[in-house]
Amino acid sequence: MEGSSVAGSQDGQIASPRRAPSQQRSRERVERMLAAASALIAERGSDVMRMGEVAERAGVSIGSLYQFFPDKRAIIWTLAERHTAESQACIAAALAQVSDAEGLRRAFSELVDIYYGLFLAEPVMRDIWSGTQADKALRELELADSRANAEFLTAVLKRLRPTADPAALETTAFLIWQMGEATMRLAISVGRKEGDDLVAAYKRMALRELVDE
C-alpha cells in the first residue's frame, strides 16, 4: 500500500485512502510528504506536528497534502505501517533458516538487539509506538503485527518440537512476542542503563522458554 493514506478514526475504524498516487510524480510527492513528517516528528514529536508544517517542509500546497492524507493520524498510520512491514520482513528472514535450538537462540537474541537498537536510534518509530496505547487503531496494528511475527516464531518451534501441541506453541510464541513489545516500550521510557537491563532480562526469560526446556 505504498503511498496510500490510511487513517484510524476515533473509534478505531480505518478510513479509506483519499487518493492513492498512481503516477511517478505523485508517488514522489507523497514520499516528500512522509519524509517531511518524519523529520518533524524526529525534531519535536507527533503531538505538536501540524499539517501546514508538513506541507511547507515537503514543498507542496496544503491542498495537495490533504489529497493524500485526510489528517495527521493518516500520516502517522502510514509511517507505522511502513515500520511494521520492514520489521516483519527482517524477522521472517532471520527465522526462516533456523533448524536447531542453538540457531534459534542466536537468531532470537540478534532480533531482540536489533529491535531495541531501532527503538533507541529511530525517533519516529519510538514516537509512534510510545503513543500506541492512546490510539485504538495503532493498538490494533501492533496486535496484528505481533500475531504475524509470532507466526514466524511458531513455525520455528514446530520444526524444533514436532510432537508438541501446536496450539500451545502458538500461545507461547504470541505471548513472548507481546511481552517483547511491552518490554521495548518500557525500556525506552526509563534511563538507558535500566532499559538495557530490562531488555537483557526479557531476553533471558524468553530464551528459557524457547530453547532451555
Side-chain angles (χ1 to χ4, degrees):
M1 291 199 336
E2 181 177 344
S4 66
S5 64
V6 187
S9 68
Q10 293 302 321
D11 62 0
Q13 296 299 310
I14 306 305
S16 299
R18 281 195 170 173
R19 178 183 172 189
S22 58
Q23 298 181 349
Q24 180 65 24
R25 186 168 60 181
S26 294
R27 289 194 292 269
E28 291 173 354
R29 189 181 307 134
V30 167
E31 290 304 317
R32 293 205 310 273
M33 295 171 188
L34 293 173
S38 294
L40 288 166
I41 292 172
E43 291 168 10
R44 297 159 49 202
S46 60
D47 286 346
V48 299
M49 183 180 72
R50 297 292 179 264
M51 295 292 278
E53 294 175 316
V54 176
E56 182 179 0
R57 179 73 66 97
V60 301
S61 69
I62 190 68
S64 180
L65 178 63
Y66 278 117
Q67 283 182 323
F68 298 102
F69 300 103
D71 55 29
K72 180 173 71 172
R73 296 177 75 239
I75 296 175
I76 294 171
W77 174 272
T78 302
L79 291 172
E81 265 194 327
R82 289 191 171 193
H83 283 299
T84 295
E86 290 168 2
S87 68
Q88 286 185 12
C90 175
I91 292 163
L95 297 178
Q97 302 304 316
V98 172
S99 59
D100 55 33
E102 186 55 38
L104 176 56
R105 180 188 297 277
R106 182 171 56 254
F108 185 83
S109 296
E110 290 175 354
L111 282 172
V112 171
D113 291 341
I114 290 170
Y115 206 59
Y116 182 40
L118 286 174
F119 266 94
L120 291 172
E122 177 51 71
V124 177
M125 183 178 179
R126 188 166 63 245
D127 181 280
I128 289 171
W129 294 117
S130 292
T132 297
Q133 299 308 305
D135 189 305
K136 184 178 178 182
L138 286 179
R139 288 201 308 272
E140 291 174 352
L141 178 63
E142 183 186 47
L143 182 60
D145 181 45
S146 289
R147 289 191 185 281
N149 291 332
E151 289 178 4
F152 301 135
L153 185 56
T154 298
V156 175
L157 293 177
K158 287 179 177 179
R159 291 199 296 271
L160 300 186
R161 307 178 194 173
T163 62
D165 177 12
L169 296 180
E170 291 169 4
T171 298
T172 295
F174 182 47
L175 182 57
I176 284 174
W177 220 275
Q178 272 288 291
M179 290 173 61
E181 298 282 0
T183 299
M184 296 302 164
R185 188 174 290 108
L186 178 59
I188 63 174
S189 69
V190 299
R192 178 62 187 273
K193 174 63 168 60
E194 186 177 7
D196 290 352
D197 291 343
L198 288 167
V199 172
Y202 162 73
K203 192 190 300 185
R204 290 193 299 271
M205 293 168 59
L207 287 172
R208 280 199 297 269
E209 183 66 28
L210 291 173
V211 301
D212 293 341
E213 285 194 336

